[in-house]
Amino acid sequence: MNPEVKSIEWEAPAHYFLEKKADWFWALGILTLAGTVAAIFVGNILFGILVLLSGAIMGIMANREPEIIPFALTTRGVHIDEVLYPYTTLESYYIETENPQGPLLFLKSERTFMHLIVIPLPEDYVDEIEAIIERRLRQEHLEEPLGHKILELLGF
């Protein structure tokens, strides 16, 4: 732990990318068509079109590799791409090192619609990042949201 470190910058993918096989796309297609047919069968054509469009968009988005996002931890706050989250708007933090995809930083925010911010960390900088952030935020046990876990199970 180096107490002189004032900022750390790194890049990471927006999410963990899992290569999808043909079986995944077949399952998506079958579920999409079944949902569309069921919606049309009960007389809700508009919902059937929505299910069909959602399945097509999900298939397209699932095949795209994640964008690489720059992150920075400074004395002012946490930078995610071009957005600064000042420490005054954050309540607490937690660093999870046991995640299979690598360490994660959880930041609890005061914002209503973005209550928990999840940031992938480089393994080499975990101690330095904790040294910077522990002086500004209290540590609280936080867990990955259920929605994130479900999306990982589905391959997103």
Side-chain angles (χ1 to χ4, degrees), residues 51-68:
V51 170
L52 191 63
L53 285 173
S54 299
I57 291 170
M58 191 180 298
I60 292 168
M61 295 303 289
N63 213 24
R64 295 174 79 188
E65 294 209 14
E67 178 183 351
I68 302 298

Side-chain angles (χ1 to χ4, degrees), residues 23-45:
D23 293 348
W24 190 93
F25 289 101
W26 276 105
L28 175 65
I30 290 169
L31 290 172
T32 300
L33 286 176
T36 302
V37 168
I40 292 172
F41 181 72
V42 297
N44 197 340
I45 295 173

